[in-house]
mmCIF file of all heavy atoms in Angstrom:
data_model
loop_
_atom_site.group_PDB
_atom_site.id
_atom_site.type_symbol
_atom_site.label_atom_id
_atom_site.label_comp_id
_atom_site.label_asym_id
_atom_site.label_seq_id
_atom_site.Cartn_x
_atom_site.Cartn_y
_atom_site.Cartn_z
ATOM 1 N N PHE A 117 -9.958 2.832 5.758
ATOM 2 C CA PHE A 117 -9.063 2.792 6.904
ATOM 3 C C PHE A 117 -7.875 1.896 6.597
ATOM 4 O O PHE A 117 -8.007 0.923 5.858
ATOM 5 C CB PHE A 117 -9.767 2.229 8.153
ATOM 6 C CG PHE A 117 -10.927 3.037 8.609
ATOM 7 C CD1 PHE A 117 -12.220 2.695 8.250
ATOM 8 C CD2 PHE A 117 -10.730 4.154 9.398
ATOM 9 C CE1 PHE A 117 -13.303 3.444 8.656
ATOM 10 C CE2 PHE A 117 -11.805 4.922 9.816
ATOM 11 C CZ PHE A 117 -13.097 4.566 9.445
ATOM 12 N N ILE A 118 -6.760 2.224 7.206
ATOM 13 C CA ILE A 118 -5.575 1.374 7.106
ATOM 14 C C ILE A 118 -5.110 1.075 8.528
ATOM 15 O O ILE A 118 -4.939 1.984 9.342
ATOM 16 C CB ILE A 118 -4.445 2.058 6.309
ATOM 17 C CG1 ILE A 118 -4.908 2.289 4.870
ATOM 18 C CG2 ILE A 118 -3.169 1.208 6.350
ATOM 19 C CD1 ILE A 118 -3.955 3.104 4.040
ATOM 20 N N VAL A 119 -4.936 -0.201 8.810
ATOM 21 C CA VAL A 119 -4.469 -0.652 10.114
ATOM 22 C C VAL A 119 -3.061 -1.211 9.937
ATOM 23 O O VAL A 119 -2.823 -2.039 9.068
ATOM 24 C CB VAL A 119 -5.402 -1.738 10.690
ATOM 25 C CG1 VAL A 119 -4.874 -2.241 12.026
ATOM 26 C CG2 VAL A 119 -6.823 -1.206 10.821
ATOM 27 N N THR A 120 -2.139 -0.736 10.744
ATOM 28 C CA THR A 120 -0.759 -1.204 10.701
ATOM 29 C C THR A 120 -0.399 -1.843 12.030
ATOM 30 O O THR A 120 -0.729 -1.311 13.091
ATOM 31 C CB THR A 120 0.204 -0.025 10.423
ATOM 32 O OG1 THR A 120 -0.057 0.490 9.131
ATOM 33 C CG2 THR A 120 1.645 -0.456 10.495
ATOM 34 N N VAL A 121 0.237 -2.990 11.962
ATOM 35 C CA VAL A 121 0.767 -3.642 13.156
ATOM 36 C C VAL A 121 2.271 -3.418 13.138
ATOM 37 O O VAL A 121 2.954 -3.823 12.208
ATOM 38 C CB VAL A 121 0.428 -5.148 13.175
ATOM 39 C CG1 VAL A 121 1.016 -5.802 14.405
ATOM 40 C CG2 VAL A 121 -1.079 -5.353 13.107
ATOM 41 N N ASP A 122 2.771 -2.735 14.148
ATOM 42 C CA ASP A 122 4.180 -2.360 14.196
ATOM 43 C C ASP A 122 4.884 -3.097 15.328
ATOM 44 O O ASP A 122 4.276 -3.401 16.358
ATOM 45 C CB ASP A 122 4.299 -0.846 14.408
ATOM 46 C CG ASP A 122 5.725 -0.368 14.357
ATOM 47 O OD1 ASP A 122 6.406 -0.652 13.348
ATOM 48 O OD2 ASP A 122 6.173 0.271 15.327
ATOM 49 N N VAL A 123 6.146 -3.381 15.088
ATOM 50 C CA VAL A 123 6.977 -4.029 16.108
ATOM 51 C C VAL A 123 8.395 -3.482 15.954
ATOM 52 O O VAL A 123 8.838 -3.238 14.831
ATOM 53 C CB VAL A 123 6.939 -5.571 15.960
ATOM 54 C CG1 VAL A 123 7.524 -6.034 14.661
ATOM 55 C CG2 VAL A 123 7.618 -6.250 17.125
ATOM 56 N N PRO A 124 9.084 -3.214 17.053
ATOM 57 C CA PRO A 124 10.461 -2.733 16.935
ATOM 58 C C PRO A 124 11.318 -3.709 16.128
ATOM 59 O O PRO A 124 11.097 -4.926 16.166
ATOM 60 C CB PRO A 124 10.940 -2.660 18.388
ATOM 61 C CG PRO A 124 9.697 -2.522 19.198
ATOM 62 C CD PRO A 124 8.654 -3.296 18.456
ATOM 63 N N GLU A 125 12.276 -3.172 15.415
ATOM 64 C CA GLU A 125 13.112 -3.982 14.523
ATOM 65 C C GLU A 125 13.809 -5.129 15.253
ATOM 66 O O GLU A 125 13.860 -6.245 14.740
ATOM 67 C CB GLU A 125 14.149 -3.095 13.837
ATOM 68 C CG GLU A 125 14.944 -3.823 12.782
ATOM 69 C CD GLU A 125 15.895 -2.916 12.034
ATOM 70 O OE1 GLU A 125 15.432 -1.929 11.448
ATOM 71 O OE2 GLU A 125 17.107 -3.200 12.055
ATOM 72 N N ASP A 126 14.325 -4.875 16.449
ATOM 73 C CA ASP A 126 15.037 -5.937 17.157
ATOM 74 C C ASP A 126 14.108 -7.090 17.521
ATOM 75 O O ASP A 126 14.485 -8.256 17.448
ATOM 76 C CB ASP A 126 15.762 -5.395 18.393
ATOM 77 C CG ASP A 126 14.837 -4.755 19.410
ATOM 78 O OD1 ASP A 126 13.824 -4.137 18.997
ATOM 79 O OD2 ASP A 126 15.112 -4.855 20.614
ATOM 80 N N VAL A 127 12.864 -6.779 17.878
ATOM 81 C CA VAL A 127 11.883 -7.816 18.189
ATOM 82 C C VAL A 127 11.516 -8.566 16.914
ATOM 83 O O VAL A 127 11.400 -9.794 16.907
ATOM 84 C CB VAL A 127 10.621 -7.207 18.849
ATOM 85 C CG1 VAL A 127 9.552 -8.264 19.063
ATOM 86 C CG2 VAL A 127 10.981 -6.521 20.162
ATOM 87 N N GLN A 128 11.359 -7.836 15.823
ATOM 88 C CA GLN A 128 11.042 -8.451 14.543
ATOM 89 C C GLN A 128 12.129 -9.445 14.124
ATOM 90 O O GLN A 128 11.840 -10.582 13.755
ATOM 91 C CB GLN A 128 10.887 -7.351 13.487
ATOM 92 C CG GLN A 128 10.369 -7.810 12.163
ATOM 93 C CD GLN A 128 10.160 -6.633 11.212
ATOM 94 O OE1 GLN A 128 10.562 -5.511 11.474
ATOM 95 N NE2 GLN A 128 9.533 -6.903 10.098
ATOM 96 N N VAL A 129 13.382 -9.022 14.225
ATOM 97 C CA VAL A 129 14.506 -9.890 13.864
ATOM 98 C C VAL A 129 14.526 -11.130 14.764
ATOM 99 O O VAL A 129 14.670 -12.255 14.289
ATOM 100 C CB VAL A 129 15.842 -9.120 13.937
ATOM 101 C CG1 VAL A 129 17.028 -10.068 13.831
ATOM 102 C CG2 VAL A 129 15.903 -8.048 12.859
ATOM 103 N N GLU A 130 14.363 -10.922 16.053
ATOM 104 C CA GLU A 130 14.369 -12.038 17.010
ATOM 105 C C GLU A 130 13.273 -13.060 16.687
ATOM 106 O O GLU A 130 13.508 -14.272 16.702
ATOM 107 C CB GLU A 130 14.169 -11.483 18.423
ATOM 108 C CG GLU A 130 14.130 -12.506 19.518
ATOM 109 C CD GLU A 130 13.868 -11.862 20.871
ATOM 110 O OE1 GLU A 130 14.474 -10.809 21.155
ATOM 111 O OE2 GLU A 130 13.038 -12.405 21.608
ATOM 112 N N ARG A 131 12.074 -12.572 16.356
ATOM 113 C CA ARG A 131 10.963 -13.473 16.038
ATOM 114 C C ARG A 131 11.229 -14.250 14.751
ATOM 115 O O ARG A 131 10.890 -15.434 14.659
ATOM 116 C CB ARG A 131 9.668 -12.673 15.912
ATOM 117 C CG ARG A 131 9.158 -12.168 17.245
ATOM 118 C CD ARG A 131 7.915 -11.352 17.080
ATOM 119 N NE ARG A 131 7.423 -10.862 18.359
ATOM 120 C CZ ARG A 131 6.407 -10.028 18.498
ATOM 121 N NH1 ARG A 131 5.749 -9.585 17.428
ATOM 122 N NH2 ARG A 131 6.026 -9.627 19.689
ATOM 123 N N ILE A 132 11.796 -13.600 13.757
ATOM 124 C CA ILE A 132 12.087 -14.278 12.484
ATOM 125 C C ILE A 132 13.154 -15.347 12.677
ATOM 126 O O ILE A 132 13.042 -16.455 12.142
ATOM 127 C CB ILE A 132 12.503 -13.268 11.397
ATOM 128 C CG1 ILE A 132 11.323 -12.351 11.072
ATOM 129 C CG2 ILE A 132 12.982 -13.983 10.136
ATOM 130 C CD1 ILE A 132 11.690 -11.164 10.191
ATOM 131 N N ILE A 133 14.188 -15.033 13.446
ATOM 132 C CA ILE A 133 15.235 -16.024 13.719
ATOM 133 C C ILE A 133 14.626 -17.232 14.423
ATOM 134 O O ILE A 133 14.880 -18.379 14.046
ATOM 135 C CB ILE A 133 16.377 -15.418 14.563
ATOM 136 C CG1 ILE A 133 17.163 -14.408 13.723
ATOM 137 C CG2 ILE A 133 17.287 -16.504 15.107
ATOM 138 C CD1 ILE A 133 18.169 -13.599 14.528
ATOM 139 N N LYS A 134 13.790 -16.982 15.410
ATOM 140 C CA LYS A 134 13.174 -18.069 16.171
ATOM 141 C C LYS A 134 12.241 -18.900 15.293
ATOM 142 O O LYS A 134 12.228 -20.123 15.359
ATOM 143 C CB LYS A 134 12.402 -17.492 17.357
ATOM 144 C CG LYS A 134 11.821 -18.525 18.276
ATOM 145 C CD LYS A 134 11.161 -17.875 19.477
ATOM 146 C CE LYS A 134 10.591 -18.921 20.410
ATOM 147 N NZ LYS A 134 9.949 -18.314 21.578
ATOM 148 N N ARG A 135 11.460 -18.217 14.451
ATOM 149 C CA ARG A 135 10.476 -18.906 13.628
ATOM 150 C C ARG A 135 11.091 -19.604 12.416
ATOM 151 O O ARG A 135 10.743 -20.731 12.104
ATOM 152 C CB ARG A 135 9.407 -17.910 13.165
ATOM 153 C CG ARG A 135 8.293 -18.532 12.334
ATOM 154 C CD ARG A 135 7.331 -17.491 11.794
ATOM 155 N NE ARG A 135 8.034 -16.636 10.853
ATOM 156 C CZ ARG A 135 7.915 -15.310 10.802
ATOM 157 N NH1 ARG A 135 7.131 -14.676 11.649
ATOM 158 N NH2 ARG A 135 8.578 -14.601 9.916
ATOM 159 N N ASN A 136 12.023 -18.905 11.719
ATOM 160 C CA ASN A 136 12.530 -19.416 10.444
ATOM 161 C C ASN A 136 13.990 -19.841 10.475
ATOM 162 O O ASN A 136 14.453 -20.482 9.534
ATOM 163 C CB ASN A 136 12.366 -18.353 9.341
ATOM 164 C CG ASN A 136 10.926 -17.972 9.127
ATOM 165 O OD1 ASN A 136 10.418 -17.107 9.820
ATOM 166 N ND2 ASN A 136 10.265 -18.606 8.182
#
Side-chain angles (χ1 to χ4, degrees):
F117 298 97
I118 297 173
V119 178
T120 295
V121 179
D122 185 54
V123 64
E125 187 176 303
D126 60 326
V127 175
Q128 188 176 10
V129 169
E130 179 183 317
R131 288 178 180 174
I132 295 170
I133 290 171
K134 185 176 181 180
R135 182 185 65 223
N136 299 86

